[in-house]
Amino acid sequence: MRLHALGCYGGEAPGCHQTSHLVDGRLLLDAGSVTAALPLDSQAGIDQVLVTHSHLDHVAALAFLADNLSTVRTKPIEVWSIPPVIRHLKKHVFNGIIWPDFTTIPSPQNPILSFHEIREGRPQRIGGYEVMAVRVDHTVEATGYLVSDGEASILFQGDSGPTTELWKVANAASRLQAIIVETSYPNLLQDLADASGHLTPQTLRTELTKLTVRRPIYAQHIKPQFIADIVRELAELSDPPVAILEQGKEYSFLAT
Ligand SMILES: [Zn+2]
Ligand SMILES: [Zn+2]
């Protein structure tokens, strides 16, 4: 399984794209920045999008992706999430006011977007992958995803404060090659992190005590204004170590 880290930040600034990662060129994890980060011909190869939650830094480029590809693709891009997130996207984004309803464009019979619900805790076949939505804890309904191609699995947290189910899934998952967590704020802003359903390096450290298996851990969704502090504080987490997920890098997660 290959993962192209298109956007690794929890905000937008020059050089910082918002959360979006592409698996094997066709399965997108969140759509915060895909259109700014990926050439048009590669955008056309995206068949499915797994959305963690409705916040703009995770869905904004879904609007622009639909617009870019509405006359290019012959099949809809399938947008998957838990039922409340699908409801929010239909009602608050693709509502004909904020943005057109791309489930009827270019035609209702052959639209560029189709929405699909996934239930938490139940493996679901999506494209060539087995996907399980995993409950996390954010300020709006949100989910993480365990994605497996049959040989390797990755666990993507999305946005979340301290949580439990995610770590149970991590402990039980077979062939888990990467856990991609969020770290949005530095330790100094712990109160803000708690109030907004996010982690700091120190709460991530506590979260990682729930992990009973040793797996590579990558942090992303860093707020651009706090990069230096967060990177320094993450570097102090040595057991287990936490790597920064590097924007623009292509990772190969192979079964061992
Ligand atoms: Zn976010
Ligand atoms: Zn969020």
Side-chain angles (χ1 to χ4, degrees):
M1 186 184 296
R2 289 178 295 115
L3 182 133
H4 187 182
L6 300 176
C8 294
Y9 294 91
E12 189 173 66
C16 296
H17 293 313
Q18 299 184 121
T19 301
S20 201
H21 307 299
L22 188 58
V23 175
D24 297 332
R26 56 195 168 130
L27 176 73
L28 192 67
L29 303 177
D30 276 336
S33 64
V34 57
T35 45
L38 202 62
L40 279 169
D41 58 342
S42 299
Q43 292 177 30
I46 296 170
D47 291 322
Q48 284 94 17
V49 185
L50 303 179
V51 177
T52 59
H53 65 300
S54 57
H55 279 161
L56 274 179
D57 57 321
H58 301 254
V59 303
L62 193 55
F64 312 131
L65 187 68
D67 196 21
N68 285 350
L69 301 180
S70 63
T71 60
V72 174
R73 281 178 57 95
T74 54
K75 283 193 307 184
I77 300 168
E78 298 175 6
V79 179
W80 289 82
S81 194
I82 51 176
V85 175
I86 295 297
R87 274 201 309 278
H88 298 327
L89 285 172
K90 287 180 176 175
K91 183 176 179 185
H92 301 295
V93 180
F94 296 96
N95 57 8
I97 299 169
I98 296 296
W99 205 243
D101 175 5
F102 274 94
T103 63
T104 65
I105 295 173
S107 71
Q109 296 75 31
N110 188 29
I112 185 60
L113 290 188
S114 61
F115 288 109
H116 305 267
E117 295 181 350
I118 183 170
R119 304 280 164 176
E120 276 175 358
R122 288 189 218 163
Q124 165 92 38
R125 202 79 199 162
I126 298 178
Y129 303 89
E130 186 177 271
V131 176
M132 189 165 76
V134 183
R135 178 179 294 271
V136 295
D137 190 6
H138 195 37
T139 53
V140 292
E141 298 94 338
T143 188
Y145 290 105
L146 178 67
V147 179
S148 172
D149 66 0
E151 294 188 346
S153 303
I154 60 171
L155 183 59
F156 178 55
Q157 181 178 34
D159 284 9
S160 182
T163 187
T164 54
E165 188 62 25
L166 186 91
W167 304 110
K168 288 184 193 168
V169 169
N171 290 334
S174 60
R175 304 188 183 108
L176 185 60
Q177 300 301 312
I179 303 172
I180 301 171
V181 297
E182 73 124 278
T183 314
S184 298
Y185 291 105
N187 292 336
L188 195 62
L189 296 177
Q190 188 64 55
D191 289 350
L192 180 56
D194 292 343
S196 58
H198 287 299
L199 297 177
T200 63
Q202 65 192 2
T203 42
L204 175 61
R205 181 174 60 190
T206 304
E207 288 296 281
L208 292 175
T209 64
K210 303 170 188 173
L211 194 60
T212 59
V213 291
R214 198 150 184 105
R215 299 283 182 258
I217 299 157
Y218 299 89
Q220 56 111 49
H221 199 272
I222 291 170
K223 296 284 183 185
Q225 60 272 46
F226 308 120
I227 291 172
D229 286 345
I230 293 172
V231 167
R232 179 174 42 78
E233 290 170 359
L234 283 173
E236 290 163 7
L237 304 185
S238 54
D239 188 26
V242 175
I244 305 286
L245 193 72
E246 290 181 41
Q247 186 177 285
K249 186 168 172 180
E250 293 207 49
Y251 293 83
S252 239
F253 298 124
L254 301 172
T256 51

